[in-house]
Amino acid sequence: MNPPSRTARQTPEPAGLGERWFADKAWQPFPFQREVWQAIAAGESGLLHATTGAGKTYAVWLGALARFADGGTASKPAPLTVLWITPMRALAADTARALQAPLDELGIRWSLGLRTGDTDSAERARQSRRLPSVLVTTPESLTLLLTRADAREAFAGLRMLVVDEWHELLGNKRGAQLQLALARLRRWHPGLVAWGLSATLGNQPHALKVLVYPGHGRLVQGKVPKDLRIDTLLPAAIDRFPWAGHLGLKMLPQVVAEIDSAATSLVFTNTRSQSELWYQAILEARPDWAGLIALHHGSLAREVRDWVELGLKKGQLKAVVCTSSLDLGVDFLPVERVLQVGSPKGVARLMQRAGRSGHAPGRPSRVTLVPTHSLELVEAAAAQRAVAEQRIEARSAPDKPLDVLVQHLVSMALGGGFRPDDLRDEVRQCWSYRNLRDDEWAWALAFVRHGGHSLTAYPDYQRVEPDEQGLWRVPSRRIAQRHRMSIGTIVSDAALHVRYWTKGGAGGSLGSVEEGFIARLRPGDCFLFAGRLLELVRVENMTAYVRRATGRKAAVPRWNGGRMPLSSELADAVVEQLGEASRGHFDTPEMQLARPLLEVQMRWSALPTETTLLAETHKSREGWHLFLYPFAGRHVHLGLASLLAWRMARRAPVTFSIAVNDYGLELLSATEVDWSAALGPTLFSPDDLLHDVLGSLNAGELARRRFREIARIAGLVFSGYPGAQKSARQLQASSGLFFDVFRQYDPDNLLLTQAQEEVLRQELDVDRLARTLQRLQARRLDLQAVARPTPLAFPLLVERFRESLSSEKLADRIARMLRDLEKAAGPGGAPSDAPVLIEQEPAKRPRTPRARKDGRPRVKKKASEG
């Protein structure tokens, strides 16, 4: 969103609106900006993939103004002409500020408005009377606008649609929702110009095709030289037996020093709970920074987020601890430094966050990785190489999410009504629904008309009816109101509002927190939220009332999203680094620091490489351990561990305990297993994969949980009215009832099929699991019998202990294990005859396993936080 650089280029005389505006500022456009201007002038659609901070916004925005800004007066601005879609509220507000500047300076009589979940009722009322010339909004708000009875008239002047950060929407249901809205707008305006913007897409042709389908568009590459610096904050020393988070806040003094060295910094964390902890820790380390550092994440109140964003804009804040809420395209010029606490988990995410600093052409962007455990040093070295080689993750659009289609049918019935054949043809103009079958369409129509085969007797599910002219509409005002309130359920979570409790009743709002966390607290318990220590007073009407607390131990809210898996691209780069280490190459500062850890691993066992699959077997008092290191991410490892346990149990009855992290998995049996004979090609065969995966897991229960989201999107369950929302438990019970009814009386219901497919594709990532199995079959098995747990095995043991220890503190157990393992490793890492505690003091006495009557193994699963 920043102006191009002022470096000299061979440039023709400024011509046209864009050239004139740039010349007035003594700037010169990049070639890709001119290419976009020319394409828009010719009425073309396309995708602009350009370096972060290179000026993507001005490329598309000035092209839109040059082509379409030919009307409007001060008293009556032009009608709605451009829709600007953003995936996040913070990005929407920032975009609106960026778009306003050229309007003011060029004297264009266009009005500009913002429409998101944060928009107040007064502004919504104004927009109901007349939409602004330019509307910055989200996919959910756009769909809501399309439910207006006069939607076609309201969008009559629309000429162009821009999707910012298209990669963020491409691969999920919100993107499918946007595709359906685009199809409706293209039906009304066949010449509609559509452009997508992104800086981090690994499969750009696919992203372009999804955006412009079924038409064609231009892919513009805006490669501008950018100095992207990635370094690592190296700890003074590391443990040779790491576990998740063991460095963590030990890095606090160095992080504080880095923040102190820059005018303004962003400290990114992967979870909201982590951001709360780091904000509090930094404030305790530097109390003089009170008022100069802030916290930003999606659960905070809008007023808090707005204050933080404005403070960053004006350079008034020293640092902001944040999550992905400030990831995307937000323009904060004063930001000099970005620190990433913990693994970035993906190459694209790291590049996005790095781009928040030096957000302008000609300015370097710098991100510093802060490892939270020793193996993240290897990840840091791998991430630097992956970024240098542009190994950016690919994203694919979902295939026929029928819950989104059902919601869309009711939306279109509200927005003036529809004729089934016309709407079917329109829906098939979306890439995600291009293969929609006639029987699937007929099922969707029947479902919104009378609830399908099993809900015919219930009026609440008779949502759409054809009128005398054959136009399908929503006959009930109550159903219409409920549907409009449910359109945002694609992204909503079950949450409670957090408010201060005062003598007079409710006080100011602090934000929202997941209901599952509050449900575990009792009045009087304390927790950290919004950077404050709070005491829970009471819970009432989906609101948690709190007051300030002091000097008491606090819990930290744990929101969903903390188990983000390592991407394939970053995982492959990590294995390459380990392969080089196995050959004696430690070429980076990170690898040099990790060298003692890796040398212990090599002395006691081996390192995984690009051509080998490392498996370690170990006998302890707990039983027989198998440690396997595919480096495929936690989701795949959970599915793989369950699959291996299932296949082993079909050969002989056996019980396994399972632990997984991003690097590998552990299978623990109380009875002896001959892993040297078992680990053959058939165990890793991708044949009958779906059958075996479904057999190895409680797939019915997984599908039941997944069905809750599907039921909400499809309108089967209603979250409640403002101030009287239903709890997560109520929603789960309601959706579970539908799930059971459908399974018993309507087994062919396509929403059941969708739930099972989403479990396989999203929770277990079965496609990546299949690729992993094929890759493992091609690798040479490196089976090592180890006398004691190795550095790679140690994190998996810790994750299992997190669940199994009760009377003994986990920290105490880990400390004793570390002392014995370090003694066994010796000063140089050589094994010694010292006893290893884990072989002498089991966490539990193993029990004799019993097989199920149906032959299925008794598997205890634990997907670790890694």
Side-chain angles (χ1 to χ4, degrees):
M1 297 179 189
N2 291 288
S5 74
R6 306 188 184 196
T7 55
R9 288 183 176 83
Q10 297 296 323
T11 308
E13 290 295 319
L17 183 145
E19 299 276 8
R20 173 162 54 87
W21 190 70
F22 274 52
D24 289 345
K25 293 183 170 294
W27 298 337
Q28 293 182 353
F30 289 113
F32 80 84
Q33 292 171 318
R34 287 199 178 92
E35 184 180 354
V36 172
W37 295 343
Q38 293 166 3
I40 293 174
E44 294 184 58
S45 297
L47 172 66
L48 171 56
H49 192 266
T51 307
T52 297
K56 296 188 294 295
T57 299
Y58 287 139
V60 175
W61 180 228
L62 291 173
L65 293 179
R67 178 171 172 83
F68 302 116
D70 56 357
T73 64
S75 60
K76 191 174 182 180
L80 177 64
T81 307
V82 177
L83 272 173
W84 198 287
I85 308 297
T86 71
M88 298 177 65
R89 291 172 292 185
L91 182 55
D94 191 71
T95 299
R97 288 189 288 265
L99 301 186
Q100 187 66 52
L103 292 178
D104 295 338
E105 294 169 13
L106 291 168
I108 296 174
R109 302 297 187 180
W110 276 14
S111 56
L112 187 148
L114 193 63
R115 181 71 173 254
T116 71
D118 287 339
T119 304
D120 60 44
S121 57
E123 177 62 19
R124 289 173 184 266
R126 283 192 293 271
Q127 292 177 6
S128 296
R129 294 188 293 271
R130 179 182 174 85
L131 289 171
S133 311
V134 186
L135 183 64
V136 182
T137 188
T138 61
E140 297 77 27
S141 293
L142 172 57
T143 299
L144 189 60
L145 288 170
L146 291 176
T147 65
R148 292 171 46 164
D150 64 342
R152 186 161 191 168
E153 292 75 19
F155 286 88
L158 185 66
R159 296 293 177 267
M160 184 170 176
L161 182 141
V162 181
V163 187
D164 210 348
E165 307 293 352
W166 172 224
H167 63 273
E168 192 67 19
L169 297 170
L170 173 63
N172 54 43
K173 290 182 182 180
R174 297 180 72 203
Q177 184 183 42
L178 181 58
Q179 289 181 54
L180 290 166
L182 255 172
R184 170 51 53 106
L185 294 174
R186 286 192 176 113
R187 178 186 170 192
W188 293 339
H189 306 289
L192 183 70
V193 176
W195 279 82
L197 308 180
S198 179
T200 51
L201 270 170
N203 52 342
Q204 298 160 31
H206 171 75
L208 172 63
K209 188 173 185 178
V210 173
L211 181 66
V212 301
Y213 190 85
H216 302 280
R218 183 186 298 199
L219 178 59
V220 178
Q221 294 285 0
K223 293 183 179 179
V224 176
K226 180 75 172 178
D227 184 7
L228 179 57
R229 304 172 187 174
I230 304 174
D231 54 25
T232 307
L233 202 57
L234 301 176
I238 65 167
D239 291 338
R240 290 181 290 184
F241 300 92
W243 69 95
H246 80 272
L247 278 175
L249 291 173
K250 292 181 182 179
M251 300 292 292
L252 178 63
Q254 290 170 268
V255 169
V256 169
E258 293 297 315
I259 295 173
D260 202 17
S261 68
T264 304
S265 300
L266 292 179
V267 181
F268 277 105
T269 65
N270 289 335
T271 65
R272 285 171 278 184
S273 55
Q274 201 177 24
S275 69
E276 293 276 353
L277 287 171
W278 274 88
Y279 171 78
Q280 199 69 29
I282 293 171
L283 193 58
E284 289 175 0
R286 289 295 300 268
D288 56 309
W289 284 353
L292 297 177
I293 65 171
L295 181 65
H296 192 289
H297 58 66
S299 289
L300 298 178
R302 183 193 68 180
E303 294 77 14
V304 175
R305 290 183 275 111
D306 288 347
W307 176 83
V308 174
E309 292 161 24
L310 186 60
L312 279 172
K313 277 279 188 183
K314 295 181 176 180
Q316 297 171 341
L317 295 175
K318 182 71 175 174
V320 174
V321 183
C322 56
T323 61
S324 56
S325 59
L326 291 182
D327 252 4
L328 302 174
V330 187
D331 178 10
F332 300 126
L333 281 176
V335 174
E336 296 179 356
R337 293 290 306 280
V338 169
L339 293 95
Q340 165 65 42
V341 176
S343 169
K345 300 291 187 178
V347 180
R349 183 176 296 105
L350 180 60
M351 294 176 67
Q352 280 283 353
R353 293 181 173 181
R356 298 313 105 216
S357 67
H359 196 79
R363 294 180 57 181
S365 294
R366 181 184 176 189
V367 60
T368 298
L369 299 170
V370 183
T372 59
H373 62 80
S374 303
L375 287 171
E376 282 185 354
L377 289 167
V378 181
E379 274 194 58
Q384 294 180 46
R385 173 177 292 184
V387 169
E389 297 174 358
Q390 292 291 294
R391 301 191 200 175
I392 302 174
E393 292 83 5
R395 308 196 188 201
S396 299
D399 183 43
K400 289 187 294 191
L402 295 179
D403 53 344
V404 180
L405 177 61
V406 166
Q407 184 188 89
H408 183 71
L409 292 182
V410 183
S411 297
M412 295 305 97
L414 284 171
F418 67 83
R419 300 185 187 278
D421 289 347
D422 293 341
L423 186 57
R424 179 198 58 206
D425 295 341
E426 177 185 312
V427 167
R428 286 175 176 167
Q429 301 301 298
C430 304
W431 190 93
S432 288
Y433 297 95
R434 69 198 185 285
N435 296 322
L436 183 70
R437 303 190 310 267
D438 286 343
D439 63 304
E440 293 170 328
W441 176 252
W443 173 87
L445 286 176
F447 192 77
V448 298
R449 185 173 185 179
H450 50 67
H453 295 303
S454 52
L455 301 177
T456 308
Y458 299 94
D460 278 354
Y461 305 105
Q462 298 168 10
R463 291 177 282 175
V464 180
E465 289 285 349
D467 61 15
E468 297 81 2
Q469 290 76 37
L471 202 62
W472 288 49
R473 298 180 183 273
V474 176
S476 166
R477 182 176 180 180
R478 183 178 64 88
I479 290 176
Q481 182 184 25
R482 284 177 48 166
H483 178 78
R484 288 191 172 98
M485 294 178 63
S486 300
I487 285 176
T489 55
I490 291 181
V491 294
S492 67
D493 295 317
L496 295 178
H497 297 291
V498 181
R499 288 184 174 274
Y500 279 121
W501 178 259
T502 65
K503 292 182 179 179
S509 174
L510 292 171
S512 59
V513 67
E514 286 187 6
E515 184 185 31
F517 170 74
I518 292 294
R520 294 193 295 270
L521 301 180
R522 294 174 296 178
D525 288 348
C526 296
F527 63 100
L528 281 176
F529 183 72
R532 300 169 174 88
L533 180 61
L534 305 172
E535 177 188 338
L536 180 64
V537 177
R538 62 189 298 180
V539 178
E540 187 177 83
N541 295 328
M542 294 301 289
T543 301
Y545 293 103
V546 299
R547 57 181 165 229
R548 286 187 178 271
T550 56
R552 298 168 70 178
K553 185 177 179 180
V556 181
R558 301 286 177 179
W559 289 269
N560 290 329
R563 296 188 175 185
M564 214 164 20
L566 201 66
S567 75
S568 297
E569 289 73 12
L570 187 51
D572 289 345
V574 170
V575 173
E576 290 172 13
Q577 290 289 333
L578 294 175
E580 291 185 6
S582 71
R583 296 183 286 274
H585 301 301
F586 300 88
D587 300 329
T588 65
E590 295 85 357
M591 295 300 291
Q592 283 287 345
L593 188 57
R595 184 169 186 166
L597 179 154
L598 299 178
E599 286 179 343
V600 171
Q601 177 68 34
M602 286 189 284
R603 287 190 178 101
W604 290 8
S605 174
L607 283 173
T609 71
E610 306 93 316
T611 59
T612 61
L613 170 62
L614 176 63
E616 297 171 345
T617 60
H618 172 59
K619 170 64 173 67
S620 77
R621 288 284 300 276
E622 291 181 295
W624 282 260
H625 304 256
L626 171 72
F627 301 101
L628 198 67
Y629 306 102
F631 280 82
R634 70 176 68 254
H635 290 174
V636 170
H637 290 160
L638 176 59
L640 179 60
S642 301
L643 178 69
L644 297 181
W646 164 254
R647 289 178 173 176
M648 288 294 298
R650 288 200 299 182
R651 302 176 182 180
V654 63
T655 298
F656 289 105
S657 293
I658 290 175
V660 304
N661 62 17
D662 272 327
Y663 304 146
L665 59 94
E666 179 201 20
L667 293 178
L668 169 63
S669 170
T671 55
E672 185 173 3
V673 178
D674 185 1
W675 288 111
S676 60
L679 292 174
T682 57
L683 195 64
F684 295 109
S685 172
D687 297 339
D688 297 323
L689 178 59
L690 290 180
H691 174 270
D692 287 356
V693 166
L694 292 174
S696 68
L697 292 163
N698 189 354
E701 185 58 32
L702 290 174
R704 179 190 296 272
R705 292 205 305 267
R706 173 63 64 171
F707 189 77
R708 183 174 78 174
E709 178 195 1
I710 292 173
R712 291 171 68 188
I713 294 172
L716 285 173
V717 297
F718 179 52
S719 300
Y721 295 99
Q725 290 93 343
K726 294 180 181 178
S727 69
R729 183 173 298 178
Q730 289 172 315
L731 292 174
Q732 184 62 58
S734 298
S735 63
L737 179 61
F738 282 112
F739 185 82
D740 293 336
V741 167
F742 290 160
R743 281 207 305 183
Q744 184 172 357
Y745 300 106
D746 190 9
D748 295 327
N749 192 295
L750 296 184
L751 295 183
L752 292 179
T753 305
Q754 181 182 338
Q756 180 174 313
E757 289 178 350
E758 287 188 11
V759 167
L760 293 172
R761 307 297 172 190
Q762 298 178 27
E763 292 195 25
L764 300 177
D765 204 349
V766 74
D767 293 331
R768 188 175 173 186
L769 175 57
R771 294 192 299 269
T772 299
L773 288 171
Q774 293 171 350
R775 185 172 57 184
L776 296 184
Q777 280 192 313
R779 290 183 177 178
R780 177 179 61 83
L781 180 65
D782 186 0
L783 184 61
Q784 301 280 339
V786 298
R788 53 188 60 82
T790 64
L792 286 180
F794 190 78
L796 290 166
L797 292 176
V798 172
E799 291 306 329
R800 185 161 47 78
F801 291 155
R802 289 185 197 277
E803 297 300 308
S804 62
L805 293 178
S806 56
S807 60
E808 182 180 19
K809 289 184 179 179
L810 176 65
D812 294 339
R813 172 74 178 193
I814 292 174
R816 293 193 296 111
M817 290 170 59
L818 278 174
R819 286 196 298 270
D820 287 297
L821 288 174
E822 287 289 355
K823 184 177 180 181
S832 74
D833 295 328
V836 179
L837 184 62
I838 190 172
E839 296 184 358
Q840 299 177 356
E841 298 188 25
K844 289 182 178 179
R845 177 180 293 275
R847 294 185 298 175
T848 303
R850 294 183 296 110
R852 296 178 185 271
K853 292 181 180 180
D854 61 3
R856 289 179 56 194
R858 294 182 178 272
V859 179
K860 297 181 287 183
K861 295 178 283 295
K862 165 62 182 157
S864 77
E865 287 284 354

